[in-house]
């Protein structure tokens, strides 16, 4: 008798952007990483692949033009194979793809077939920058391993529980429905992971706690999570709405758009670029890195100080708004590049909210750590926490759970 083959436990997570592919190979037996890497500037001069094996071996860098996503994924497959982790390995259980827009149809991770791909394609008009790259990544991976389950994990899925009152824009219903205009929200994988980890940090089940999650990276979004379900989030039809971001404006009066068309003679594309690429912190002060902005403030730079103040003011407004939406808040969790690292942002966003039971302890806030931690003083009614996000682990977990226990698929 031969011993039964152990069931495969590895998941390759692929995050395909317009000119990059980020990847991580995880072993879901223990959640550890086997390799991580990135292919950047795909289709441009100076493409680069950076591959880091995490169980022995040195980081490797490959330079030279990578023509397209197919070539990028082939190069990734070769690097993994060189470490004995090739895509043909029987230990690989599935490939998990980050897909930015899942519309209303995809409320959970989904095994990809042609019909699912067609639906992701149908959503391209509402995610023109992201979904096409995701589709190319999926198609290429399917060609490399046609027999392997490929799972889509959607950035929007966590937000599909939002009630209509939060998801609807107050515009003509027929027009909105005809063009699928509503608030979808993004960064859902991160909001799901961080809200759950925050509950764990408090020693409670997710169903027992209400959390405001502040995902502050280059893109930034807030969400109100009641008992594990998202009830509101700050990004909308696209990832432009809401908080002030690195290069995006967040909320503006929509009349800014037609004002610029009529008065400045700008085209829709020019205004799109203005609001998405030349606004936010960059638009206000020329820098989008919070470290640089803080350095400039320390030197007395007025524009950097203005950018910081506008950023924090918006953040504080959303904390207040989501406090009201939730009614009772157990924790406010800061995450992503700025949220995890920028103590002055956390301090300023929570300052003055003592009446809401919110406070930050200066010493705890100053601690630098990769661990989830509470930074509010013991007496505070509401916990303020720093909870590092891990979108790849979350995608791998959801992918593995689905292929391991398909009953999970809704
Ligand atoms: P992305 O949205 O690209 O995933 P990240 O979550 O990695 O972004 O966040 C990137 C941002 O985090 C940087 O632009 C910078 O503003 C901020 N950041 C990173 N490290 C620090 C730090 N040590 N102090 C302050 N801000 C930081």
């Amino acid at each position: 008798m031969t011993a039964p083959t152990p069931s495969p436990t590895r998941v390759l997570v692929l995050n395909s952007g317009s000119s990059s592919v980020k990847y991580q190979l995880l072993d879901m037996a223990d959640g550890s990483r086997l390799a991580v890497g990135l292919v950047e500037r795909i289709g441009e001069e100076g493409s680069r692949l950076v591959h880091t094996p995490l169980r022995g071996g040195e980081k490797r860098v490959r330079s030279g033009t990578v023509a397209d996503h197919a070539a990028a994924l082939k190069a990734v497959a070769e690097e993994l194979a060189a470490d004995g982790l090739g895509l043909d390995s029987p230990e690989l259980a599935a490939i998990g793809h980050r897909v930015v827009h899942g519309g209303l149809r995809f409320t959970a991770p989904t095994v990809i077939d042609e019909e699912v791909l067609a639906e992701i394609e149908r959503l391209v008009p509402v995610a023109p920058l992201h979904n096409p790259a995701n589709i190319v990544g999926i198609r290429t991976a399917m060609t490399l391993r046609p027999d392997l389950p490929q799972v889509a994990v959607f950035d929007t899925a966590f937000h599909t529980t939002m009630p209509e009152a939060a998801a609807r824009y107050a515009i003509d219903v027929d027009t909105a429905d005809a063009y699928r205009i509503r608030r979808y929200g993004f960064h859902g994988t991160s909001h799901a992971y961080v809200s759950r980890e925050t509950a764990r940090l408090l020693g409670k089940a997710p169903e027992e706690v209400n959390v405001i999650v502040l995902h502050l990276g280059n893109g930034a979004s807030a969400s109100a999570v009641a008992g594990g379900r998202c009830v509101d989030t700050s990004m909308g039809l696209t990832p432009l709405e809401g908080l002030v971001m690195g290069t995006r404006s967040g909320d503006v009066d929509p009349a800014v758009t037609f004002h610029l068309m009529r008065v400045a003679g700008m085209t829709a594309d020019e205004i799109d670029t203005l609001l998405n690429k030349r606004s936010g912190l960059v638009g206000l002060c020329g820098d989008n890195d919070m470290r640089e902005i803080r350095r400039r403030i320390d030197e007395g730079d007025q524009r950097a100080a203005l950018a910081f103040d506008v950023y924090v003011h918006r953040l504080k407004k959303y904390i207040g708004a989501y406090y009201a939406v939730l009614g009772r808040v157990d924790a406010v969790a800061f995450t992503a590049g700025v949220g995890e690292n920028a103590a002055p942002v956390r301090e300023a966003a929570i300052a003055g909210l003592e009446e809401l039971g919110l406070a930050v302890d200066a010493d705890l806030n100053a601690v630098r750590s990769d661990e989830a931690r509470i930074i509010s003083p013991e007496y505070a009614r509401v916990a303020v926490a720093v909870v590092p996000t891990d979108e790849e682990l979350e995608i791998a977990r959801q992918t593995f759970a689905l292929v391991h226990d398909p009953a999970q698929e809704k």
Side-chain angles (χ1 to χ4, degrees):
M1 240 173 62
T2 51
T5 326
S7 55
T9 54
R10 291 180 186 164
V11 175
L12 178 65
V13 175
L14 289 180
N15 182 352
S16 306
S18 54
S19 66
S20 70
V21 174
K22 292 185 198 141
Y23 62 95
Q24 294 199 0
L25 182 67
L26 293 96
D27 190 340
M28 298 320 290
D30 57 5
S32 65
R33 268 126 177 121
L34 301 166
V36 302
L38 159 76
V39 189
E40 54 190 355
R41 292 196 282 279
I42 296 171
E44 299 166 25
E45 293 269 303
S47 323
R48 224 162 71 105
L49 184 155
V50 182
H51 175 88
T52 310
L54 297 173
R55 293 219 178 140
E58 292 289 298
K59 176 163 110 175
R60 304 193 289 273
V61 180
R62 265 205 214 189
S63 305
T65 307
V66 178
D68 52 25
H69 282 72
L73 276 191
K74 280 189 193 115
V76 170
E78 284 165 20
E79 291 300 331
L80 288 168
D83 295 325
L85 302 168
L87 291 191
D88 53 355
S89 159
E91 285 166 274
L92 191 60
I95 301 181
H97 297 267
R98 175 186 183 212
V99 179
V100 167
H101 214 310
L104 286 183
R105 150 99 186 264
F106 297 113
T107 59
T110 305
V111 175
I112 303 167
D113 57 18
E114 281 302 324
E115 193 264 326
V116 168
L117 263 176
E119 182 62 22
I120 298 171
E121 181 98 51
R122 238 164 57 79
L123 289 161
V124 165
V126 282
L129 295 179
H130 296 102
N131 275 28
N134 299 155
I135 293 167
V136 176
I138 292 167
R139 284 224 178 272
T140 309
M142 282 172 124
T143 315
L144 290 174
R145 270 301 298 270
D147 56 313
L148 200 66
Q150 312 265 341
V151 173
V153 178
F154 298 93
D155 248 25
T156 45
F158 184 62
H159 304 303
T160 54
T161 52
M162 272 196 288
E164 283 293 285
R168 278 270 171 197
Y169 290 111
I171 61 174
D172 174 68
V173 168
D174 296 334
T175 307
D177 288 351
Y179 297 100
R180 299 206 258 185
I181 296 169
R182 61 186 283 120
R183 309 190 54 256
Y184 294 98
F186 299 88
H187 290 145
T189 311
S190 177
H191 287 285
Y193 177 86
V194 170
S195 56
R196 239 186 13 248
E197 288 299 309
T198 305
R200 195 211 302 265
L201 186 65
L202 300 182
K204 301 240 170 92
E207 296 74 33
E208 294 176 300
V209 296
N210 290 350
V211 186
I212 297 173
V213 178
L214 304 169
H215 176 111
L216 311 177
N218 230 328
S221 63
S223 68
V225 184
R229 290 164 68 85
C230 177
V231 293
D232 206 349
T233 195
S234 60
M235 285 177 167
L237 173 73
T238 76
L240 181 56
E241 192 180 344
L243 300 176
V244 176
M245 312 185 206
T247 65
R248 290 174 233 159
S249 62
D251 297 334
V252 289
D253 181 342
V256 167
T257 308
F258 32 89
H259 182 76
L260 285 172
M261 283 179 160
R262 290 176 188 139
V263 176
M266 289 173 77
T267 64
D269 285 346
E270 285 167 350
I271 298 168
D272 191 326
T273 303
L274 172 78
L275 296 179
N276 274 297
K277 306 243 167 84
R278 294 198 289 122
S279 296
L281 294 170
V282 151
L284 287 164
C285 77
D287 269 310
N288 63 344
D289 193 313
M290 198 49 85
R291 286 162 287 202
E292 185 59 17
I293 290 171
R294 290 304 309 177
R295 196 191 58 71
R296 283 172 55 185
I297 292 172
D298 289 344
E299 288 175 352
D301 186 316
Q302 294 299 312
R303 280 182 61 193
L306 173 69
F308 184 84
D309 290 348
V310 174
Y311 185 95
V312 166
H313 181 80
R314 184 83 51 83
L315 196 52
K316 195 176 283 225
K317 266 186 12 184
Y318 269 91
I319 294 171
Y322 287 172
Y323 207 116
V325 165
L326 289 167
R328 187 203 85 224
V329 177
D330 298 291
V332 174
F334 286 88
T335 194
V338 175
E340 290 167 29
N341 296 297
V345 169
R346 298 191 296 253
E347 182 193 335
I350 299 296
L353 302 183
E354 292 80 7
E355 289 289 326
L356 298 180
L358 284 161
V360 161
D361 178 287
D363 292 336
L364 294 175
N365 192 30
V367 172
R368 302 198 59 84
S369 159
D370 294 336
E371 300 288 318
R373 58 201 184 273
I374 290 176
I375 58 167
S376 44
E378 219 152 281
Y379 65 79
R381 237 181 326 117
V382 180
V384 180
V386 179
V387 180
T389 192
D390 194 338
E391 289 167 278
E392 289 77 17
L393 177 60
E394 180 67 17
I395 291 172
R397 273 186 192 161
Q398 293 192 16
T399 299
F400 188 64
L402 185 59
V403 297
H404 214 59
D405 177 13
Q408 291 230 347
E409 191 169 18
K410 286 183 204 134

